[in-house]
Amino acid sequence: MTKTNSRDKRRLLVRQARLDDVPRLVELTALVYTPEWGHSAEMLRGQQAHFPEGQFVAEYDGEIVGYCATFRIDEGTALKPHTWTEITGGGFGSRHDPEGDWLYGMEVVVHPQMRGMRIGQRLYTARKKLCTDLKLRGIVFGGRIPGLSKAIKRFSSAENYVQAVIEGRRRDPTLSFQLRNGFEVLGLLHNYEPGDHQSLGYATHMVWRNPALHDQPDVPHASGGLPMPSTVRVATVQYQQRRIRSFEEFAQQVEYFTDIAADYDADFVTFPELITLQLLSIENEELSPNDTIRRLSEWTPQVRELFGNLAVRYNINIIGGSHPTRMDDGDIHNVCYICLRDGTMHEQEKLHPTPSERNVWGITGGDTTSMIQTDCGPIGVMICYDSEFPEVARHLIDQGALMLFVPFCTDVREGYLRVRYCCQARAIENQCYVIMSGNVGNLPGVHNFDIQYGQSCILTPCDFPFARDGVATDSTPNIETVLFADLSLDNLARARNSGTVTNLKDRRFDLYETRWRRRGLPDMTHD
């Protein structure tokens, strides 16, 4: 077996520029731009003096083969029309603002003989890392469009040419590269660099937004205007239905799992749909299915009080599964009580009762679904069958939800998989987390609640920052257990802003939209 001497390996690295690099950088920029338009030694020293951490060189086998220059600038200056000379202070970087919230890219050059080795990409990556390390809003610059001069007759204007490149109908050696690297075009800068004859003096006004910032696009803050945590710990209970003798026994079981979740410092704990059907085993009476549900709704005050008190006592946000509740008009709705640890309580009714729930139990669907603001960011709840209707999830996501909780109750594997597959789709298409919690075990003698099949899980989008298969964690089917997962809101923001796919950004609002009717409003139709 032979060993390779490290001295025989050519080494490529990107590092911060130094003053002793200046003579070689003068040569490099002269080679790329001609001696007349290359950077002088004075300009290069000025760039390093103003913002030394923002200047990078690419070095290959000891030779400098690339250079990247940046400085910080305020948003108002960066995003309004400008020329290269104006904004860079004549190439010296003298407009550098130590408090500036944007990174301006004033220069990237690569040795002509080294193109094809992704030197430019490495320099752009160094820029992006600097931007994220400094927590700046993004990178902005004027980009060359060297293919314009040869194509101007065909496209008749610079605007048409740029649009053709954006749409993929034309390739530009510089602009196409920048688009592939996640930059977007804000517009055209006129007379940006009059000496750039290939670009006819134009430049594309380019921007890259820092994906680590939650408000790009807008991601709501936590309740009370507080910044959201970077990571949220969620727990989901795979709950075994068993016979009980009293409400106190039911309360002890719910408190047991709440205590466990709190001991593990969870921010949320989720219980399954129709968890309270267990209460029917107390009296163990033979009732008709309709009477069964109405009898169960009599426990509503105790159920609300139980979950509300536990949330405050154990300092945890509780998604209380669901409970059949009699409404003021006499209808029975399947309601999830969301009890926050600050003492507030929210209700989310199931919108879509299953055929069995409608026909056997007489359950009626609710009319609205609303995002709920918590101290860990905005959430939404979809009760079981609701997850199989993509409009529900999209409506919650449009309101700002980052996590969707799905209490479910399914009898056989086929029914479970309908819910599971739809929840995974919701996580992918909405770039959000979905937390499922289901029942296991059996309650003989309780109408329409004979057997249970459940496999609780916590689902993620399918992209590089997340779990390989889009499953943060899942359980062994039909075994009572508690699952935990730490969900990164930072990764979610990055995925929404600059993931491999950006579903929320790429929706075609020019082709379709989802509109929800507001129930109970007067008819606005005019005669």
Side-chain angles (χ1 to χ4, degrees), residues 75-76 78-80 101-103 124 127-133 135-141 178-179 181-187 205-218 490 493-499 502 505:
E75 181 170 301
L79 300 186
K80 71 180 182 181
D101 50 0
W102 285 81
L103 192 67
Y124 274 77
R127 264 187 188 171
K128 291 177 180 178
K129 185 177 186 305
L130 176 64
C131 177
T132 54
D133 287 348
K135 296 180 172 60
L136 304 182
R137 295 200 62 79
I139 302 170
V140 65
F141 62 88
Q178 291 160 349
L179 293 171
N181 276 273
F183 289 86
E184 59 182 285
V185 178
L186 293 180
H205 200 177
M206 307 294 293
V207 67
W208 176 82
R209 303 181 192 278
N210 182 355
L213 298 185
H214 285 177
D215 58 347
Q216 299 186 146
D218 287 340
D490 288 342
R494 292 188 184 97
R496 289 182 169 189
N497 288 306
S498 59
T502 50
K505 282 185 176 183

Side-chain angles (χ1 to χ4, degrees), residues 234-242 249-272 275 278 306-307 310-311 314 316-319 437-440 456 479-484:
V234 297
T236 179
V237 178
Q238 187 158 291
Y239 187 86
Q240 181 169 337
Q241 292 287 333
R242 55 175 70 83
E249 190 175 344
F250 169 75
Q252 288 172 2
Q253 293 177 11
V254 172
E255 182 173 3
Y256 169 78
F257 288 111
T258 303
D259 188 9
I260 287 176
D263 280 349
Y264 281 83
D265 296 323
D267 298 292
F268 294 91
V269 60
T270 317
F271 289 94
I275 182 176
Q278 189 176 23
L306 171 64
F307 284 117
L310 291 177
Y314 287 95
I316 191 169
N317 300 306
I318 298 178
I319 313 300
S437 173
N439 291 297
V440 297
S456 301
I479 299 296
E480 188 170 63
T481 188
V482 184
L483 302 175
F484 294 90

Side-chain angles (χ1 to χ4, degrees), residues 246-295:
S246 65
F247 184 86
E248 289 71 26
E249 190 175 344
F250 169 75
Q252 288 172 2
Q253 293 177 11
V254 172
E255 182 173 3
Y256 169 78
F257 288 111
T258 303
D259 188 9
I260 287 176
D263 280 349
Y264 281 83
D265 296 323
D267 298 292
F268 294 91
V269 60
T270 317
F271 289 94
E273 179 189 23
L274 295 175
I275 182 176
T276 57
L277 278 174
Q278 189 176 23
L279 297 171
L280 293 173
S281 65
I282 296 173
E283 299 178 10
N284 199 25
E285 293 185 43
E286 284 290 338
L287 299 171
S288 69
N290 195 275
D291 288 339
T292 295
I293 291 302
R294 293 187 178 277
R295 177 69 62 85

Side-chain angles (χ1 to χ4, degrees), residues 474-507:
D474 60 3
S475 67
T476 301
N478 298 331
I479 299 296
E480 188 170 63
T481 188
V482 184
L483 302 175
F484 294 90
D486 287 337
L487 304 181
S488 170
L489 300 186
D490 288 342
N491 284 344
L492 204 61
R494 292 188 184 97
R496 289 182 169 189
N497 288 306
S498 59
T500 305
V501 292
T502 50
N503 303 65
L504 295 183
K505 282 185 176 183
D506 295 338
R507 287 182 287 171

Side-chain angles (χ1 to χ4, degrees), residues 12 15-16 49 56 69-70 87 115-116 152 154 301-302 317 356 396 403 417 422 433 441 461 501 509:
L12 196 157
R15 59 170 174 81
Q16 191 173 308
F56 301 98
T70 69
I87 203 162
R115 287 167 188 164
I152 189 65
R154 174 183 171 186
Q302 293 94 320
N317 300 306
S356 177
L396 290 166
M403 294 176 283
L417 289 177
C422 288
Y433 297 114
V501 292
F509 289 102

